[in-house]
Amino acid sequence: MEFPPLETANEDGLLAVGGDLSPERLLLAYKKGIFPWFNEDALILWWSPDPRMVLYPEKLKVSKSMRKVLKNNQFKVTQNTCFRVVIEQCAQLVRKGQEGTWITPNMIDAYCTLHEKGFAKSYEVWQKDKLVGGLYGIDLGHVFCGESMFSLVSNASKVAFVNLVEEFKDQGGKLIDCQVYTEHLESLGAEEMGRKAFEKVLQGNV
């Protein structure tokens, strides 16, 4: 069940190949700073990138236009009302420069099991009773590991993300794991952190 030492990951962050998506293995992985990411019909690949993209909740950047969206109440946000639908929507999303999805049927079932056990959580964004956006991830208490988000209308996923971050901060959360760099995440206040520093946060030593 154990994973190799994180420092043995290759330059891209690939640490291990194979295994399964049991709740026990997934939780062990996230608590060590490891996550699964692989193509359908391929062996499970486990990653621990260095550096890591993270967001300190207090450093969240919300633009003026986004603040207006949040204030005008055009969206309603809920939590954990339709986890499977959220992850299925994330799986269907067509992403630029990416063929297919890593959110395979087995992944969906595995994370739904984690949801049933209280570890995987979703945020849903509604517009006139229609689900238009959302996100899901693993809640370790002091660290929230964001997995994926989707948006069917402009700003819906951002609304989910802002709600997650602000609520997590109010609950005393320390860090949100965003996994890998994107310009979009950077624009929201996320930054890169070295693997060793990230490990210390996971272990509660910061």
Side-chain angles (χ1 to χ4, degrees):
M1 174 80 72
E2 279 296 323
F3 287 95
L6 300 190
E7 58 269 20
T8 63
N10 71 12
E11 191 175 315
D12 294 325
L14 178 60
L15 178 69
V17 178
D20 57 40
L21 295 172
S22 67
E24 294 78 16
R25 190 180 298 277
L26 282 170
L27 286 175
L28 176 66
Y30 281 100
K31 288 174 181 178
K32 287 180 173 290
I34 303 164
F35 60 87
W37 188 27
F38 57 99
N39 292 324
E40 196 165 4
D41 300 324
L43 289 171
I44 300 170
L45 304 180
W46 301 91
W47 302 81
S48 179
D50 187 14
R52 192 86 169 207
M53 199 67 172
V54 301
L55 174 69
Y56 289 99
E58 63 273 15
K59 292 186 178 181
L60 174 68
K61 294 179 182 176
V62 183
S63 65
K64 287 184 178 178
S65 60
M66 192 64 215
R67 290 190 187 280
K68 287 182 180 178
V69 171
L70 292 166
K71 284 182 178 179
N72 68 17
N73 295 321
Q74 69 184 88
F75 296 114
K76 175 187 174 185
V77 181
T78 58
Q79 249 191 76
N80 298 319
T81 61
C82 51
F83 183 90
R84 181 176 285 272
V85 177
V86 169
I87 191 171
E88 286 175 345
Q89 286 287 343
C90 289
Q92 293 171 17
L93 191 65
V94 178
R95 301 172 198 275
K96 188 177 180 181
Q98 182 178 306
E99 291 184 17
T101 178
W102 75 95
I103 307 173
T104 64
N106 285 343
M107 286 275 272
I108 291 173
D109 288 341
Y111 283 83
C112 284
T113 299
L114 282 181
H115 172 65
E116 291 165 6
K117 292 179 177 294
F119 293 104
K121 296 186 176 179
S122 63
Y123 278 72
E124 304 88 25
V125 179
W126 308 84
Q127 190 173 49
K128 296 180 180 178
D129 297 324
K130 180 184 178 183
L131 183 67
V132 293
L135 61 80
Y136 74 97
I138 306 299
D139 190 352
L140 299 178
H142 62 308
V143 175
F144 186 92
C145 305
E147 272 299 309
S148 187
M149 59 177 70
F150 79 97
S151 189
L152 302 181
V153 301
S154 182
N155 293 317
S157 61
K158 283 186 182 178
V159 169
F161 188 73
V162 171
N163 272 268
L164 158 67
V165 175
E166 293 185 341
E167 185 169 290
F168 192 64
K169 180 174 67 175
D170 291 343
Q171 294 171 349
K174 301 296 183 185
L175 199 68
I176 292 176
D177 173 28
C178 304
Q179 297 182 347
V180 294
Y181 174 88
T182 67
E183 288 185 4
H184 175 61
L185 288 168
E186 186 178 45
S187 72
L188 292 169
E191 60 193 79
E192 291 186 320
M193 172 185 277
R195 183 192 286 132
K196 287 187 177 180
F198 182 62
E199 276 187 87
K200 286 182 178 179
V201 176
L202 281 173
Q203 293 163 4
N205 295 330
V206 177

